[in-house]
Amino acid sequence: MYRFLLTPRWWGINVFVLLAIPFCIFMGSWQLGRFEDRVDDHRDAEARVTSDKREAARPLGELLPVTKATSGKQTTATGRYDTQLLVPDRKLDGKDGYYVLTLLRTDGGRALPVVRGWLPGDPDPAEVPAAPTGEVTVTGALQASETPGNNGVSARGGLPAGQTAAISAASLVNLVPYDVHDAWVTLNRGDAGMKAVPATAPGGTGLDLKAFQNLGYTAEWFAFVGFVVFMWFRLLRRELEFARDAELGLLPEEERERPERERQEPHERRETEPSSPSGV
């Protein structure tokens, strides 16, 4: 009854199954490993944010450009506050509010975006404390420029004058008449009674969409293993039922001859095939 397993068709099916199962297991394990690496990176980044806050602040020039290694490091810069902007749609402790962003004109000519603090509610310039005048020295955590549409950063446009959706040099250079550092700083202590905005882990180290895509791909590859095994057993069962019905004579004549034809070797099939009228 199981002689059909030796036919060329079933040899092909069996070889495919034997190759597909380990391949799917390998790919599923690889995707799971990628997810676990991202989880480890996330934990390390969160721990680094806490440890960086205890380190001594270093001059801004020593930490630029911002990388995964320098993001979150304590930095210090000296200059004069200039243009002030509000950043809407920012949550803190589960509450809606906005950041108060002020550009610090440094001696090098470029401006450093400084988040002086967070206020609840809708952006209202009348409620924002004025920035200190004269030369000031700020200390806080260095952050990389934001990318609109990523990590909860709004990408909407058409904001009122004096507002910006993202804290990035690409956005700010269109709002001020001077160059802006491709970085920003969040003060360790909120200025003028505002709440300090905590530093965040560098981009690419969190449990973002890509991390959960890896987890989803893991489930898909292991599901493929189950599907391949299920289909193999389904085909086997159907073939066994066909062979059993053939033995009991429950099939039409042409159907009973099918298993016998499948067991023939290719050269035997060619001998039994009728020749064409041309004799070719």
Side-chain angles (χ1 to χ4, degrees):
M1 185 176 294
Y2 291 91
R3 286 180 298 175
F4 63 83
L5 292 173
L6 301 178
T7 61
R9 184 169 71 93
W10 271 93
W11 270 105
I13 293 174
N14 292 334
V15 170
F16 172 79
V17 170
L18 291 176
L19 293 177
I21 290 176
F23 176 76
C24 292
I25 292 175
F26 169 77
M27 291 301 297
S29 301
W30 181 76
Q31 290 289 351
L32 181 60
R34 292 284 296 168
F35 174 74
E36 291 175 343
D37 290 341
R38 290 181 183 276
V39 171
D40 292 339
D41 288 345
H42 177 66
R43 291 173 179 170
D44 293 342
E46 287 186 334
R48 193 163 59 246
V49 168
T50 303
S51 62
D52 287 343
K53 195 170 183 178
R54 295 193 293 265
E55 294 182 0
R58 296 162 58 185
L60 179 65
E62 296 181 7
L63 300 175
L64 294 178
V66 183
T67 63
K68 287 185 179 182
T70 60
S71 179
K73 295 290 186 182
Q74 291 292 299
T75 188
T76 182
T78 300
R80 294 175 179 272
Y81 280 125
D82 195 278
T83 307
Q84 185 159 276
L85 301 167
L86 306 181
V87 187
D89 303 324
R90 298 303 174 107
K91 289 182 177 291
L92 186 62
D93 297 332
K95 298 179 180 179
D96 295 328
Y98 57 97
Y99 293 170
V100 177
L101 176 70
T102 311
L103 298 181
L104 182 72
R105 300 290 300 274
T106 60
D107 294 337
R110 285 189 174 184
L112 174 66
V114 177
V115 174
R116 296 171 50 226
W118 174 91
L119 290 173
D122 297 325
D124 186 356
E127 296 182 359
V128 178
T133 59
E135 188 174 80
V136 296
T137 298
V138 299
T139 302
L142 184 66
Q143 302 280 266
S145 287
E146 297 177 334
T147 302
N150 288 345
N151 298 324
V153 178
S154 175
R156 68 188 180 98
L159 294 175
Q163 295 185 23
T164 180
I167 308 174
S168 69
S171 300
L172 296 174
V173 293
N174 298 318
L175 302 176
V176 295
Y178 38 80
D179 292 334
V180 179
H181 282 292
D182 192 17
W184 59 282
V185 168
T186 176
L187 298 183
N188 293 333
R189 294 183 179 180
D191 195 7
M194 294 182 288
K195 284 189 176 182
V197 176
T200 59
T205 59
L207 294 178
D208 53 10
L209 179 61
K210 290 183 178 180
F212 290 102
Q213 282 179 339
N214 292 133
L215 188 61
Y217 293 149
T218 299
E220 287 182 1
W221 282 113
F222 286 122
F224 288 157
V225 174
F227 177 76
V228 169
V229 174
F230 168 76
M231 289 303 299
W232 186 88
F233 276 104
R234 184 173 180 179
L235 289 173
L236 178 66
R237 181 180 177 182
R238 189 178 68 174
E239 201 73 29
L240 287 173
E241 291 175 351
F242 183 90
R244 190 177 297 112
D245 290 345
E247 290 181 355
L248 297 174
L250 301 178
L251 298 177
E253 183 66 26
E254 60 273 11
E255 291 295 330
R256 290 199 296 268
E257 293 175 357
R258 183 172 67 87
E260 184 63 29
R261 289 199 303 269
E262 290 181 350
R263 289 193 294 270
Q264 292 177 352
E265 293 296 329
H267 69 275
E268 294 176 345
R269 296 181 186 180
R270 287 195 295 269
E271 291 177 358
T272 59
E273 289 178 355
S275 60
S276 64
S278 60
V280 179

